[in-house]
Amino acid sequence: QKEVEQDPGPLSVPEGAIVSLNCTYSNSAFQYFMWYRQYSRKGPELLMYTYSSGNKEDGRFTAQVDKSSKYISLFIRDSQPSDSATYLCAMMRNQGGKLIFGQGTELSVKP
Amino acid sequence: ETGVTQSPTHLIKTRGQQVTLRCSSQSGHNTVSWYQQALGQGPQFIFQYYREEENGRGNFPPRFSGLQFPNYSSELNVNALELDDSALYLCASSPGSSGKGGTQYFGPGTRLTVL
């Protein structure tokens, strides 16, 4: 069993839709949770960074962490074609330690 | 502020050859981590360097080795290349005073193809 599980999709939605992306994990030692966006043939770009449980909002993006369920989510409101990319969840035990990534979910937002 | 840069962008090698990939960390960052990303997969941690010392290693064989220089730039060396080494190699830098600097920022990657 992988430490971090993420549905690879692909996920296709119309422009303006609310997108929900999710990851589950097995190791309760994870404390730091991130979402990265990766465009085709580019490096991952940090979107959201959260410590422990709770919600964090940044513009159209909201990250949620539920440590009791070992479940994290990323919500994208008013999705745009420019949001079309692969979204990677990542987590780590200690600040500055190695990142453990999910497989990535490929998102396509259609105009 | 300059972000993380990597060179070369693309590289084609044959089985058994050796390759060196280079990374310049973001200004002010003293920790560099390397990841391997196979097609359709998430990045896998190879190793991390903090102030020129290896500071953690993933499940990769010894033919994967690295260096960090006094200016915090870094190299990834892979010997005896195998077909399965074909992947995008990502470098990430992070700030920190103790090797636990937090957020990692990624470079654009080097795409290695092994024939």
Side-chain angles (χ1 to χ4, degrees), chain A residues 36 38 46 95-97 99, chain B residues 35 37 48 100 102-104 111:
Chain A
Y36 284 85
Q38 186 174 28
L46 181 67
Q95 196 175 24
L99 289 171
Chain B
Y35 293 82
Q37 186 177 23
Q48 182 182 85
K100 296 182 179 180
T103 310
Q104 296 183 26
R111 185 161 298 280

Side-chain angles (χ1 to χ4, degrees), chain A residues 2-5 24-34 50-53 65-68 70 72 90-95 97-102:
Chain A
K2 292 182 179 180
E3 281 192 279
V4 179
E5 298 278 358
T24 59
Y25 62 95
S26 57
N27 192 334
S28 58
F30 288 133
Q31 298 188 79
Y32 299 89
F33 304 90
M34 285 132 283
T50 310
Y51 170 69
S52 195
S53 287
V65 175
D66 182 348
K67 290 189 70 178
S68 63
K70 299 189 181 66
I72 70 170
M91 41 201 82
M92 58 186 176
R93 298 174 181 82
N94 303 306
Q95 196 175 24
K98 66 178 181 180
L99 289 171
I100 307 297
F101 283 88

Side-chain angles (χ1 to χ4, degrees), chain B residues 1 3 7 12 14 19 26 38 46 48 51-52 56 59 64 68 78 80 87 96 104 106 110 113:
Chain B
E1 184 178 279
S7 63
I12 299 175
T14 56
V19 68
Q26 189 167 319
I46 302 175
Q48 182 182 85
R51 292 187 173 178
E52 304 177 57
N59 189 25
F64 286 77
Q68 188 180 29
V78 187
Q104 296 183 26
F106 284 83
T110 293
T113 301

Side-chain angles (χ1 to χ4, degrees), chain A residues 1 8-9 11 14 16-17 34 45 48-49 53-54 61 65 75 95 97 107:
Chain A
Q1 182 188 5
L11 181 62
M34 285 132 283
E45 169 196 10
M48 303 291 281
Y49 180 97
S53 287
F61 298 90
V65 175
F75 297 94
Q95 196 175 24
L107 171 67

Side-chain angles (χ1 to χ4, degrees), chain B residues 12-34:
Chain B
I12 299 175
K13 292 285 189 179
T14 56
R15 271 190 310 175
Q17 285 189 311
Q18 178 265 343
V19 68
T20 297
L21 310 181
R22 295 177 174 84
C23 171
S24 291
S25 59
Q26 189 167 319
S27 177
H29 290 186
N30 57 18
T31 302
V32 172
S33 303
W34 285 91

Side-chain angles (χ1 to χ4, degrees), chain A:
Chain A
Q1 182 188 5
K2 292 182 179 180
E3 281 192 279
V4 179
E5 298 278 358
Q6 184 177 6
D7 186 339
L11 181 62
S12 182
V13 301
E15 183 175 354
I18 297 174
V19 176
S20 173
L21 304 168
N22 311 293
C23 288
T24 59
Y25 62 95
S26 57
N27 192 334
S28 58
F30 288 133
Q31 298 188 79
Y32 299 89
F33 304 90
M34 285 132 283
W35 285 94
Y36 284 85
R37 177 174 62 194
Q38 186 174 28
Y39 292 112
S40 181
R41 299 185 175 273
K42 302 290 185 183
E45 169 196 10
L46 181 67
L47 278 178
M48 303 291 281
Y49 180 97
T50 310
Y51 170 69
S52 195
S53 287
N55 295 356
K56 185 173 184 178
E57 187 174 321
D58 184 2
R60 297 185 295 112
F61 298 90
T62 300
Q64 289 185 350
V65 175
D66 182 348
K67 290 189 70 178
S68 63
S69 301
K70 299 189 181 66
Y71 188 87
I72 70 170
S73 301
L74 177 71
F75 297 94
I76 307 174
R77 292 183 298 279
D78 188 24
S79 56
Q80 302 295 310
S82 59
D83 295 328
S84 298
T86 295
Y87 289 79
L88 296 156
C89 65
M91 41 201 82
M92 58 186 176
R93 298 174 181 82
N94 303 306
Q95 196 175 24
K98 66 178 181 180
L99 289 171
I100 307 297
F101 283 88
Q103 184 176 350
T105 299
E106 184 182 349
L107 171 67
S108 176
V109 181
K110 304 295 187 183

